[in-house]
Amino acid sequence: MRLHGYFRSSAAFRVRIALNLKGLSVEHVFHHLRHNAQNAPDFLALNPQGLVPALETDDGAVLTQSLAIIEWLDETFPDPPLRPGDAAQRARILAFALAIACDIHPVQNLKVLNRLRKLGQDDTGVQAWAAWANREGLAACETLVRAENSSFLFGDAPTLADLCLVPQLSNARRFKVDVSAFPRLLAVEANCLALPAFQQALPQNQPDFEP
Amino acid sequence: MRLHGYFRSSAAFRVRIALNLKGLSVEHVFHHLRHNAQNAPDFLALNPQGLVPALETDDGAVLTQSLAIIEWLDETFPDPPLRPGDAAQRARILAFALAIACDIHPVQNLKVLNRLRKLGQDDTGVQAWAAWANREGLAACETLVRAENSSFLFGDAPTLADLCLVPQLSNARRFKVDVSAFPRLLAVEANCLALPAFQQALPQNQPDFEP
């Protein structure tokens, strides 16, 4: 399998964690998003959305969208399960993941921030926008799981929800959000980062990393 | 079951279609988003994200996020299946849904448009932003399925992908996008709208509709 990613893409980061948890090793191809490599004709032929991640499977299928790739991995390599439990628990895990993947991440991604620059926002304005999206979204996430008391967001092992949380907290810090307002999320993050699967997936541990 | 929604919410629209396809009738509670009803304390206690839809199940669980609700419906009431096929086909259907639910819808939702107004954008600027998000996103969606030749996006029956497409096209028109650029999407939409499950879920057929 071949994963198309970028060290700083939090969506690719999610997939890297999933692959590591499943014990799968894949070929990594990195595309420099700030150099617009995702809009090169070769890459657009692979993924018309011009987004990473994209996963080429061993039988030649190209899968896109991080959550769809992770669901495919979970169905194809079920151990350990990333969305365990009954239908309601599975839905709660997915809802938390979507609260990040739909309601935070796309509002602060590179494409949107570039558009804000075109509308005349300077660095300060762009950062304030990204910080707002992270702060409001993570506050809702904190409330969603405040009542839980497990090591990870939904139980004693990481799920799809944790795979989305850790990269998003990393983004939030990059945009200078005061994450101390989210103690439950931070406690879970610490437990995640104690695991090699998360450590090895960190942006700074990718070969294309730039400080 | 009780569905919390709003006639114009395209996320609630997706869930209404799913319920209709499954032949499930539920109690509907409408919250006027433009009057900020989603931020009333009672509703925030139900869904801390302050978003519709939310589904209260018969055993008292509250499910949020339209795609998670639809996955729960599909697991709990499997007929007809909304994400049929093998793991790769299931991933492709989900990826298309996410290309709308993550990459178009949140970038043009009410919260983001209100934020743009605070940054000084007038009606024209706000509409141009929403049109941009729909136009770019739907162009990618069109490319994703251009090679297919089925009645619906992925085969001969509607799936989760179609449930996301029809409400998004409705948004695109509201923001004055020239949708004639998407012939494959329009052909599928016409087949969807021939079905009572889609018709009855239309915004204009909800009791809280306002022109």
Side-chain angles (χ1 to χ4, degrees):
Chain A
M1 291 193 287
R2 186 183 290 133
L3 181 67
H4 296 265
Y6 176 56
F7 76 96
R8 191 182 270 154
S9 157
S10 54
F13 187 177
R14 297 170 195 151
V15 176
R16 292 196 299 264
I17 304 167
L19 289 166
N20 293 345
L21 286 169
K22 302 282 186 187
L24 297 166
S25 91
V26 302
E27 181 188 345
H28 287 267
V29 183
F30 295 97
H31 301 269
H32 201 304
L33 301 197
R34 289 193 178 265
H35 297 169
N36 208 28
Q38 71 280 22
N39 288 315
D42 280 4
F43 189 70
L44 285 176
L46 198 79
N47 181 7
Q49 275 205 287
L51 294 173
V52 296
L55 183 73
E56 294 183 78
T57 69
D58 288 339
D59 55 6
V62 179
L63 305 178
T64 62
Q65 290 286 342
S66 62
L67 268 55
I69 293 171
I70 294 169
E71 287 282 294
W72 179 86
L73 285 170
D74 209 30
E75 291 184 18
T76 309
F77 307 95
D79 186 45
L82 296 178
R83 218 149 57 84
D86 62 12
Q89 180 74 345
R90 286 171 51 75
R92 272 190 289 268
I93 294 168
L94 182 57
F96 188 97
L98 292 166
I100 289 175
C102 292
D103 294 327
I104 306 179
H105 180 246
V107 181
Q108 51 95 85
N109 75 0
L110 191 59
K111 190 182 279 194
V112 164
L113 301 186
N114 284 342
R115 186 85 184 176
L116 286 168
R117 284 185 201 282
K118 282 193 189 161
L119 295 182
Q121 291 295 310
D122 59 10
D123 285 351
T124 308
V126 166
Q127 197 213 276
W129 174 286
W132 160 73
N134 276 277
R135 194 170 47 242
E136 295 235 331
L138 289 171
C141 287
E142 172 82 9
T143 312
L144 283 173
V145 294
R146 192 170 284 157
E148 317 265 343
N149 196 24
S150 45
S151 302
F152 296 91
L153 286 169
F154 295 93
D156 295 326
T159 67
L160 175 65
D162 303 277
L163 270 57
C164 291
L165 173 65
V166 170
Q168 198 60 51
L169 280 171
S170 162
N171 278 6
R173 287 190 187 91
R174 190 152 55 84
F175 294 123
K176 306 192 197 310
V177 172
D178 175 10
V179 295
S180 69
F182 317 123
R184 164 88 179 127
L185 303 184
L186 292 183
V188 168
E189 182 195 35
N191 291 331
C192 289
L193 289 176
L195 301 178
F198 284 77
Q199 274 290 336
Q200 290 160 9
L202 285 167
Q204 59 266 38
N205 293 334
Q206 306 315 303
D208 65 330
F209 174 70
E210 293 172 355
Chain B
M1 292 192 288
R2 185 183 291 131
L3 180 68
H4 296 265
Y6 175 56
F7 76 96
R8 190 182 272 156
S9 158
S10 54
F13 187 177
R14 298 170 195 152
V15 176
R16 292 196 299 264
I17 304 167
L19 289 165
N20 293 345
L21 285 169
K22 302 281 186 189
L24 297 167
S25 91
V26 303
E27 180 187 346
H28 287 267
V29 184
F30 295 97
H31 301 269
H32 202 302
L33 301 197
R34 288 191 179 265
H35 296 168
N36 208 29
Q38 72 278 25
N39 288 314
D42 280 4
F43 188 71
L44 285 177
L46 198 77
N47 180 8
Q49 273 205 288
L51 294 173
V52 295
L55 183 73
E56 293 183 79
T57 69
D58 288 340
D59 54 7
V62 179
L63 305 178
T64 62
Q65 291 284 342
S66 62
L67 268 55
I69 293 170
I70 294 168
E71 287 282 295
W72 179 85
L73 285 170
D74 210 29
E75 292 184 18
T76 310
F77 307 95
D79 187 44
L82 296 178
R83 215 148 59 83
D86 62 12
Q89 181 74 345
R90 285 170 51 75
R92 272 189 289 268
I93 295 168
L94 181 56
F96 188 98
L98 292 166
I100 289 175
C102 292
D103 294 327
I104 306 178
H105 181 246
V107 181
Q108 52 94 84
N109 75 0
L110 190 60
K111 191 182 277 193
V112 163
L113 300 187
N114 284 342
R115 186 83 184 180
L116 285 168
R117 283 185 202 283
K118 281 192 191 163
L119 295 182
Q121 292 296 310
D122 59 11
D123 284 351
T124 308
V126 166
Q127 197 213 276
W129 174 286
W132 160 73
N134 276 277
R135 193 171 47 243
E136 295 235 332
L138 289 172
C141 287
E142 173 81 10
T143 313
L144 283 173
V145 294
R146 191 170 285 158
E148 317 264 344
N149 196 24
S150 47
S151 302
F152 296 91
L153 286 169
F154 295 93
D156 296 326
T159 66
L160 175 65
D162 304 277
L163 270 57
C164 291
L165 174 66
V166 170
Q168 197 60 49
L169 279 171
S170 161
N171 278 6
R173 287 192 187 90
R174 191 151 55 84
F175 294 122
K176 305 193 198 309
V177 172
D178 175 10
V179 295
S180 70
F182 317 124
R184 165 87 180 127
L185 303 183
L186 292 182
V188 168
E189 182 197 35
N191 292 330
C192 289
L193 289 176
L195 301 178
F198 283 78
Q199 274 291 336
Q200 290 160 10
L202 285 167
Q204 59 266 38
N205 293 333
Q206 306 315 302
D208 64 332
F209 174 71
E210 294 173 354

